[in-house]
Amino acid sequence: MTSALQKVPVDQHSTGQLEHNQLSVPPSSSMSLSNVQGFSNNSEGRLPKEYAFPFLISAKAAVLDPPKWSDSKGWWQEEGNRWLESMSLKLNSPLDGLPLNPTPLDVSHFTHAIPPSEHHATVLALLSACLLPSAASSKAKKENPAAALNYTPATRALLWYSLSLLQIPHEHLLAAEDHVSQGIYTELKNAEMKAKSEAARKEQEEGWGGKWGRLAATVGGVIIGGVAIGMTGGLAAPALLPLLPFLTAGSAPIVLGTLFGLTGGGLAGLRVNKRWAGVDVFDFIQIVGGGEDTDPDSISQARNVGSVEKPQAPSLVATIIIPGLLIEKETEAIDNLRACTEVFSSPRRDTFILNHSPKEMLSAGRTLHSWVMNKLLGKVKGKIKGEIIKRAALSTVYGVVALPMSIYQTTGMVVDNEWIRACDRAKKAGRLLADVLQKKIQGQRPVVLIGVSLGALTLFEALTTLAEDSTSNASPLVDTAIFVSLPAAPSDAEWKKARSAVSRRLVNAYCTTDLVLAGVGRLHEVLGGGGWSDMAGLRPVEREGIEDIDLSDVVEGHFELNAKIKEVLQAIGVND
């Protein structure tokens, strides 16, 4: 089918002004005021056409006029055309009833068409429409249940931008994602366990000894692992139930594993063979989200005393944080991140730490800390070197890099070797991470990646690897990528590659008083490498599609990143 949008070329010289009759709701879509006002209480969750029409205008404008953070107009418009046609069918609002070439300015006329009191219900219905197949495609989904539910980074970016043009706060989408994930998970687990309950009871009689929730469904020779939970109560999100009948007890676990990344235990169950690709340790540690308490015995005991809580479903968006240099101990970054999980809990989001090469990160961190404190700062500030990090200023950075070359040449070779080894491990881990994302072990859902210190180097390597392995118009596998103190000076071409692998936000968070990056950069300059002044972690990169955030008022240097990770996460807007 060819959509109406595909028949209309983009007008590059649009004035942004539409005739009044083009902005009005078609008479055929009229609806009583009482029905519109009662939308949020509508048990079927159907979106009134008075709301569907302005949304589709916004969606069409979003497709025709990509945002700055969409570097690749090819994938944006290709994915957008398919998404727009699909949404028009699901919302029962034909595209030929929309204005020819709406612009973001035109959408501003509709910012009050959906009242704030209906924002949550509207976004919930739109997200459900995005996620679930249309009735017309349900037959095909029976044949390929793994593709039944699919929430891609491209879909999320298109929906996010369309809602922003209507000035609907993004908090409603975050809340809707939380609501819908719980509804879908409940329905899928119920569908799976309804037909499996007799078999489970039989297995229990044969010696499972109370571990009734530990089910493994074998479908097509593949073991589908998941979160061990019992039957849960509650209702699915509006508009979910009419689209779920195509699921069967056999297909439900496949869909669960595909959407939420539960197959084989998901990210938390991933294990990499030792020394595979030169990385000794490469594990994902879950700190927030569904499946944290998967022991059926604990659920059963809590149920007996009447204090059981509804098990948490996996979220529709996953977050992976990649730490870098360590100073105190191998679990330093993990401990600090566990202490600030509330940042990812409102709304709740599955959050993982990529723990790789902890010994190398600790060794390099301690070597750098000693070198900066005892050698570089000792030459600049003498006896007050111990206090410099706490009140570092840009002048101190320049003082460090202005030290005589002999200082670096005589003290820096060991440091340089240690740093190079750590960078090498970080890049190798990045290539492994790219492989994980390509295989979609995280599930068919958007993923937010946050790299800190050398973790930012891991992230950058992962993005460029993804870009190199994808076709020119392929939609990105990553929703958001955030670099915190990136210890590299990428070229324009490298930034373009990284940008093309991300569908929405790409952030460079920097600190102008980072003595570690300044010292290492100067060391490489002296020993024959690149210059320190272009280090991304020290300055804004000022490139289209990249959001620069200054952390100089949050942290005063590289050695504070782990201790102040909560403040850093809040400053970069992990939920934006």
Side-chain angles (χ1 to χ4, degrees), residues 301-493:
Q301 292 169 6
R303 198 179 271 114
N304 291 336
V305 297
S307 60
V308 66
E309 295 181 0
K310 181 167 61 175
Q312 288 186 338
S315 62
L316 281 182
V317 179
T319 296
I320 299 174
I321 306 172
I322 315 160
L325 292 176
L326 305 170
I327 305 298
E328 298 176 358
K329 55 183 178 179
E330 291 184 12
T331 61
E332 175 185 351
I334 297 172
D335 294 342
N336 285 323
L337 284 166
R338 285 187 184 278
C340 61
T341 55
E342 66 270 19
V343 176
F344 303 99
S345 301
S346 184
R348 176 190 51 82
R349 178 184 295 175
D350 292 353
T351 304
F352 303 84
I353 300 171
L354 171 51
N355 178 45
H356 82 85
S357 313
K359 291 182 179 179
E360 289 77 7
M361 295 300 115
L362 180 60
S363 177
R366 286 177 171 174
T367 298
L368 275 169
H369 185 270
S370 176
W371 180 65
V372 169
M373 298 296 293
N374 297 325
K375 300 297 182 181
L376 299 189
L377 290 179
K379 297 293 182 180
V380 176
K381 292 293 182 179
K383 295 182 180 180
I384 61 170
K385 58 187 178 184
E387 298 296 321
I388 288 299
I389 293 297
K390 297 180 181 179
R391 59 176 192 273
L394 188 58
S395 59
T396 309
V397 170
Y398 281 105
V400 166
V401 300
L403 288 171
M405 293 179 61
S406 60
I407 298 296
Y408 289 92
Q409 291 171 337
T410 58
T411 66
M413 190 59 69
V414 173
V415 174
D416 189 56
N417 290 338
E418 191 86 49
W419 175 256
I420 289 174
R421 281 195 295 269
C423 288
D424 178 66
R425 293 298 176 94
K427 290 179 180 180
K428 288 176 178 177
R431 291 190 282 274
L432 291 179
L433 176 59
D435 188 56
V436 168
L437 296 174
Q438 286 172 326
K439 292 178 179 177
K440 299 184 179 179
I441 296 176
Q442 74 281 6
Q444 290 276 10
R445 53 179 176 170
V447 60
V448 175
L449 302 176
I450 304 170
V452 182
S453 177
L454 280 179
L457 190 61
T458 297
L459 173 52
F460 199 89
E461 185 73 15
L463 295 183
T464 54
T465 300
L466 290 173
E468 291 167 357
D469 292 346
S470 66
T471 58
S472 58
N473 284 347
S475 61
L477 294 176
V478 177
D479 174 83
T480 294
I482 301 175
F483 303 105
V484 178
S485 296
L486 174 61
S491 64
D492 288 342

Side-chain angles (χ1 to χ4, degrees), residues 535-553:
M535 195 84 73
L538 282 170
R539 58 187 289 275
V541 298
E542 297 178 339
R543 286 175 173 80
E544 186 173 87
I546 300 176
E547 179 184 346
D548 289 305
I549 296 179
D550 189 354
L551 297 177
S552 301
D553 292 334

